[in-house]
C-alpha cells in the first residue's frame, strides 16, 4: 500500500534550539523526494520526524492511504546496523513478513549466495545491500534513506543508486532520501527540497527521463540546487 505524507507548519526544537520551523510540504504516494542542505541544516531531523522517531514541537504530520491510518515505515542509515552475531538471513529476517520474504529481498539485492555468511565477511557495499534487503523484507509503505551511501566508494555508490532506483520503480514505495550529494539527489529523485537553517528554501521538481544521463538539463538542475545551498 502506498501513502501520501503531509506536513503542516511543522517545527522541532530542543530546548531553545529551533532545528525546524514552518515546514509545509506534502509527498505524493509512490514518489521519490530528496532532501538536501548543508550539515546541521535540519534535514536528518526532518527525516526522523517523518519516521516518527521524533515528535514534532508544533504543527502536524499526517499520512493518508487506502484502508489504513498506520503506514509501515522503514529507515536505512549510513551505518548498516547489522547484528554481528547473526548470519545474513537472520539479520534480514528481523521484522520481515516471513522467511520467504527475507530470502526474496536478499535475491532482489543480488546476494542470495551470502545468506549463511556473517556481517564481518562482507564488504561495505555488500553490508548496505543487506541493510536495504532488511528494509524491503517488511514490505514497507514508506522507505526513508538517511545518507545511506555516504561512506561508500564512488563506483559502489553508483551501483547502489541504480539498485535503489530499480527497486523503487518495481515496488512503488514512497521514498524520501536525505543526502549531502546534489548529484545523487538529481539522479534518484523526481523532486528535490533544499533546507537551510531549518526552513525550506527551494522545492524543485526534477523533470528528467529515466534512466538519467548527465546531460545539459541534468547539469541545469544540479547547478540550480547547488547555488541555492551555497548561497543560503
Amino acid at each position: 500500500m502506498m501513502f501520501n505524507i503531509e506536513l503542516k507548519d511543522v517545527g522541532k526544537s530542543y530546548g531553545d534550539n529551533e532545528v525546524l520551523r514552518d515546514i509545509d510540504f506534502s509527498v505524493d504516494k509512490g514518489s521519490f523526494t530528496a532532501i538536501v542542505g548543508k550539515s546541521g541544516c535540519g534535514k536528518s531531523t526532518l527525516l526522523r520526524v517523518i519516521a516518527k522517531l521524533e515528535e514534532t514541537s508544533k504543527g502536524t504530520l499526517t499520512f493518508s492511504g487506502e484502508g489504513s491510518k498506520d503506514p509501515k515505515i522503514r529507515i536505512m542509515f549510513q551505518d548498516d546496523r547489522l547484528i554481528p552475531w547473526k548470519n545474513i538471513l537472520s539479520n534480514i529476517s528481523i521484522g520481515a513478513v516471513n522467511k520467504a520474504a527475507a530470502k526474496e529481498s536478499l535475491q532482489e539485492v543480488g546476494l542470495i549466495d551470502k545468506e549463511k555468511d556473517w556481517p564481518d565477511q562482507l564488504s561495505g557495499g555488500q553490508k548496505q545491500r543487506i541493510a536495504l534487503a532488511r528494509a524491503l523484507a517488511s514490505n514497507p509503505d514508506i522507505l526513508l534513506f538517511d545518507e545511506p551511501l555516504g561512506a561508500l566508494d564512488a563506483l559502489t555508490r553508483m551501483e547502489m543508486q541504480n539498485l535503489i532506483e530499480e527497486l523503487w520503480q518495481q515496488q512503488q514505495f514512497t521514498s524520501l532520501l536525505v543526502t549531502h550529494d546534489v548529484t545523487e539527489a538529481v539522479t534518484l529523485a523526481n523532486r528535490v527540497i533544499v533546507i537551510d537553517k531549518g526552513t525550506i528554501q527551494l522545492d524543485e521538481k526534477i523533470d528528467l527521463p529515466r534512466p538519467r544521463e548527465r546531460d545539459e538539463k541534468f547539469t541545469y538542475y544540479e547547478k540550480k540546487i547547488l547555488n541555492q545551498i551555497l548561497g543560503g
Side-chain angles (χ1 to χ4, degrees):
M1 185 181 297
M2 296 185 292
F3 278 78
N4 301 305
I5 306 168
E6 186 170 8
L7 298 97
K8 288 186 177 180
D9 194 31
V10 165
K12 178 64 181 177
S13 298
Y14 300 96
D16 295 332
N17 182 22
E18 189 178 36
V19 180
L20 297 173
R21 56 189 173 88
D22 305 325
I23 299 292
D24 280 286
F25 72 93
S26 59
V27 177
D28 293 336
K29 60 184 179 181
S31 64
F32 203 126
T33 302
I35 303 168
V36 299
K38 298 175 184 176
S39 295
C41 70
K43 57 186 185 296
S44 289
T45 299
L46 176 57
L47 203 71
R48 290 177 65 84
V49 166
I50 294 171
K52 303 172 84 172
L53 297 175
E54 300 271 5
E55 295 289 334
T56 61
S57 300
K58 64 184 293 269
T60 59
L61 165 68
T62 57
F63 302 95
S64 59
E66 298 174 6
S68 175
K69 295 180 180 179
D70 297 310
K72 190 181 298 181
I73 303 172
R74 293 293 179 267
I75 185 166
M76 185 177 169
F77 298 95
Q78 182 171 327
D79 54 320
D80 55 76
R81 306 198 176 191
L82 299 180
I83 300 173
W85 58 85
K86 288 183 177 287
N87 68 23
I88 297 307
L89 186 59
S90 295
N91 264 281
I92 294 175
S93 296
I94 298 171
V97 176
N98 50 46
K99 191 172 183 179
K103 286 200 169 192
E104 182 180 352
S105 68
L106 191 54
Q107 180 75 53
E108 288 171 341
V109 301
L111 291 177
I112 190 63
D113 60 322
K114 302 293 185 182
E115 65 175 88
K116 295 182 180 179
D117 287 4
W118 303 97
D120 63 3
Q121 294 177 277
L122 305 182
S123 68
Q126 288 174 327
K127 288 178 181 179
Q128 284 303 77
R129 284 177 179 258
I130 298 304
L132 177 59
R134 183 178 55 195
L136 294 173
S138 63
N139 192 25
D141 304 303
I142 299 170
L143 186 49
L144 309 177
F145 301 93
D146 192 359
E147 302 199 39
L149 312 183
L152 304 179
D153 64 81
L155 181 58
T156 305
R157 188 169 188 144
M158 290 173 62
E159 291 173 345
M160 281 295 295
Q161 289 170 359
N162 291 337
L163 178 61
I164 288 170
E165 181 179 31
E166 178 184 339
L167 293 172
W168 165 70
Q169 288 178 312
Q170 289 174 0
Q171 302 185 24
Q172 298 184 319
F173 42 77
T174 305
S175 295
L176 282 94
L177 165 72
V178 159
T179 180
H180 63 274
D181 188 326
V182 172
T183 301
E184 181 169 275
V186 177
T187 298
L188 288 172
N190 39 36
R191 176 189 183 190
V192 176
I193 293 173
V194 177
I195 292 184
D196 185 53
K197 298 175 183 176
T199 65
I200 295 173
Q201 300 296 321
L202 179 70
D203 190 341
E204 184 75 17
K205 180 181 178 182
I206 307 299
D207 185 17
L208 294 172
R210 296 179 187 271
R212 291 181 172 166
E213 298 181 2
R214 296 198 64 181
D215 56 16
E216 185 177 345
K217 197 168 184 182
F218 187 104
T219 303
Y220 161 78
Y221 286 118
E222 213 173 21
K223 286 183 176 179
K224 183 175 182 179
I225 294 163
L226 190 57
N227 286 341
Q228 178 65 55
I229 295 170
L230 296 178

